[in-house]
């Protein structure tokens, strides 16, 4: 209730003070999450000012909606969201208050990353009342570099439509990024090749795309369903299947309950691995490539250390 009240006040402030058009010559690009923002910066280069709404240490499903987000969205030329209901819990009311037709669904200024991605784990039947937050399939597709390629091309296409005079620059930036990604993917695949079939555990169901691309297997998640806190009964099941599968690594994000992971780790001889998937959550990971280098490197080190 408190949050809705704040949003109403902020909507009034936006209407009173915001300019109707972006005064800057550069495109004002807003991304819901830092990973999409980092990618937009590479593709947009000097022609864009990019802001992320979520902090790198915030759960993308449950971002704290602030009045300042409404102002940011009201002034945006382009909005990039993950889609597939990743931001269902917080973005729709912000967009409603921001009243910006440039970033409405279907406008050239709206890029929904999931639109071009083949989704994993699309449920055949779904009961939202149980609290599962992956109603349209798994929205954590940025962890597969081949999806990042697709989304980068999608961004270059939309930036070119919104700002046609810089289209050649956006396409050149995409080509350069794409070539680097091809080379890095070979390097990352080589690094994880010795661990094909390794069985990992994650807190949330956020690693299936990475696991599939690099030949790892997610055997359990500490959450019984995406978005539902671990229960004692579920933890007991996780512990027994981790023992059976000889799974020795539990991956956690900065916004997840590390104590729960540590409890399970103590009973299974596993290591808890902090492996943030948003650029900037820890030092020296502010670009997509730095972040992936860190993630792949940490995974390889952790898996090497486990029998
Ligand atoms: Zn999720």
């Amino acid at each position: 209730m408190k949050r809705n009240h704040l949003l109403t006040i902020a909507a009034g402030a936006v209407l009173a003070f915001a300019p109707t058009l972006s005064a800057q010559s550069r495109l004002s690009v807003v991304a819901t999450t830092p990973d999409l923002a980092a990618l937009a910066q590479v593709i947009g280069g000097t022609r864009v000012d990019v802001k992320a709404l979520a902090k790198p240490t915030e759960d993308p499903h449950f971002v704290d909606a602030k009045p300042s987000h409404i102002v940011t969205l009201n002034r945006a030329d382009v909005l990039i969201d993950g889609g597939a209901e990743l931001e269902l819990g917080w973005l729709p009311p912000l967009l409603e208050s921001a009243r910006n037709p440039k970033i409405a669904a279907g406008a050239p200024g709206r890029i929904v990353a999931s639109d071009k991605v083949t989704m994993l784990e699309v449920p055949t039947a779904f009961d939202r009342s149980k609290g599962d937050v992956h109603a349209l399939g798994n929205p954590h597709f940025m962890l597969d570099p081949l999806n990042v390629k697709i989304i980068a091309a999608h961004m270059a296409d939309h930036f070119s439509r919104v700002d046609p005079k810089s289209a050649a620059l956006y396409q050149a930036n995409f080509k350069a990024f794409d070539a680097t990604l091809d080379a890095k993917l070979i390097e990352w695949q080589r690094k994880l090749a010795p661990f094909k079939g390794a069985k990992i555990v994650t807190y949330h169901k956020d690693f299936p795309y990475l696991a599939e691309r690099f030949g790892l297997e997610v055997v359990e998640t500490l959450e019984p369903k995406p978005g539902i806190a671990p229960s004692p009964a579920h933890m007991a099941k996780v512990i027994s299947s981790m023992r059976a599968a000889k799974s020795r690594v539990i991956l956690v994000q900065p916004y997840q309950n590390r104590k729960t992971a540590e409890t399970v780790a103590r009973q299974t001889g596993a290591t808890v691995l902090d492996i943030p998937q948003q650029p900037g959550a820890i030092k020296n990971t502010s670009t997509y490539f730095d972040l992936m280098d860190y993630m792949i490197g940490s995974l390889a080190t952790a898996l090497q250390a486990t029998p």
Side-chain angles (χ1 to χ4, degrees), residues 59-61 86 133-134 138-140 204-206 223 226-227:
D59 185 337
H61 287 296
L86 175 69
V133 292
H134 290 180
N138 193 304
H140 304 285
H204 182 72
K205 225 175 206 189
D206 43 10
E223 288 179 340

Side-chain angles (χ1 to χ4, degrees), residues 229-286:
S231 61
H234 181 69
M235 298 237 303
K237 177 181 166 275
V238 170
I239 289 165
S240 105
S241 58
M242 278 183 77
R243 284 177 180 153
K246 297 191 170 31
S247 173
R248 297 280 167 77
V249 182
I250 305 173
L251 277 47
V252 296
Q253 300 297 308
Y255 44 83
Q256 291 164 351
N257 189 338
R258 200 178 196 281
K259 283 218 165 82
T260 304
E262 284 165 358
T263 304
V264 174
R266 266 197 302 277
Q267 296 187 54
T268 53
T271 305
V272 178
L273 181 61
D274 297 286
I275 191 164
Q277 52 188 269
Q278 290 294 336
I282 54 163
K283 253 185 159 181
N284 303 324
T285 61
S286 60

Side-chain angles (χ1 to χ4, degrees), residues 22-195:
S22 169
Q24 301 155 326
S25 61
R26 284 196 293 241
L27 287 184
S28 171
V29 176
V30 178
T32 53
T33 51
D35 51 357
L36 294 170
L39 194 56
Q41 188 62 68
V42 172
I43 303 305
T46 53
R47 290 290 307 138
V48 296
D49 286 320
V50 183
K51 269 187 195 162
L53 297 178
K55 295 190 193 104
T57 49
E58 258 181 320
D59 185 337
H61 287 296
F62 304 104
V63 171
D64 207 4
K66 295 187 188 123
S68 63
H69 290 156
I70 297 170
V71 180
T72 302
L73 287 166
N74 175 263
R75 295 175 181 172
D77 297 308
V78 175
L79 169 65
I80 307 162
D81 58 326
E85 298 197 351
L86 175 69
E87 303 95 342
L88 182 70
W90 58 278
L91 186 62
L94 289 174
L95 278 175
E96 197 175 313
S97 298
R99 302 183 195 183
N100 180 352
K102 286 195 283 189
I103 57 169
R110 179 65 172 276
I111 304 169
V112 181
S114 62
D115 278 358
K116 308 275 181 186
V117 168
T118 304
M119 304 288 291
L120 296 179
E121 301 175 351
V122 179
T124 46
F126 189 78
D127 183 359
R128 203 181 293 277
S129 68
K130 288 181 183 148
D132 188 336
V133 292
H134 290 180
L136 300 179
N138 193 304
H140 304 285
F141 43 74
M142 286 288 282
L143 292 186
D144 179 352
L146 293 188
N147 286 339
V148 170
K149 234 178 204 278
I150 293 167
I151 294 160
H154 194 189
M155 285 183 188
D157 174 44
H158 274 255
F159 288 175
S160 301
R161 283 160 64 194
V162 175
D163 177 26
K165 65 183 185 308
S166 303
L169 175 88
Y170 299 134
Q171 296 306 330
N173 286 348
F174 167 69
K175 273 197 181 133
F177 175 80
D178 194 49
T180 309
L181 184 52
D182 283 340
K184 292 298 286 187
L185 181 55
I186 293 168
E187 183 189 318
W188 296 330
Q189 278 173 325
R190 264 193 208 133
K191 214 165 222 174
L192 287 182
F195 310 109

